[in-house]
Amino acid sequence: MKAEVMLNALSDERWNWIIQGKIEGQERDIRSGLANAEERGIKIGEKRGLKKGMDETKIENAKNLLAMGLGTHEQISQAIGLPIEKIEALAKEIEAKA
């Protein structure tokens, strides 16, 4: 009888150990997934921030060239890398302020 009770207790402990191991494994997987998602999010944010900064710099450079009267709209568009429509809109914006 004592042996059976002891065997059942050992068996219960083993099952508890197995279940605990599975829970810990799942928690590690979740933490790892969150860390990977966070890293991807940071990379995406950095990429977007760099693009936004580059776009803002292009616009500022185009405005400066237009204000100084250097080049045609087509030349500025080609040199800066902005669409001609954007250059023309910026030119109108500058003229309206003058």
Side-chain angles (χ1 to χ4, degrees):
M1 183 78 161
K2 271 188 168 184
E4 187 177 334
V5 169
M6 186 124 170
L7 183 61
N8 286 336
L10 289 173
S11 183
D12 287 346
E13 282 182 37
R14 185 164 192 264
W15 277 114
N16 287 338
W17 180 80
I18 290 170
I19 292 169
Q20 184 63 33
K22 287 185 179 213
I23 291 170
E24 288 171 0
Q26 290 171 342
E27 288 173 350
R28 273 192 309 274
D29 291 346
I30 290 169
R31 283 192 301 272
S32 176
L34 289 173
N36 289 335
E38 181 180 20
E39 185 64 31
R40 282 194 317 266
I42 289 169
K43 285 180 182 178
I44 290 169
E46 287 173 346
K47 205 177 216 181
R48 286 181 185 166
L50 286 172
K51 183 180 180 337
K52 184 178 179 184
M54 288 171 52
D55 290 346
E56 289 172 357
T57 299
K58 286 180 181 183
I59 290 170
E60 193 61 36
N61 289 339
K63 284 180 179 181
N64 290 337
L65 291 171
L66 289 166
M68 292 186 289
L70 297 175
T72 65
H73 292 179
E74 292 81 13
Q75 290 170 328
I76 294 171
S77 171
Q78 189 175 17
I80 300 295
L82 287 173
I84 188 72
E85 298 81 16
K86 183 67 176 174
I87 302 298
E88 290 170 353
L90 292 171
K92 287 179 184 176
E93 183 182 313
I94 290 170
E95 287 175 13
K97 289 182 180 179

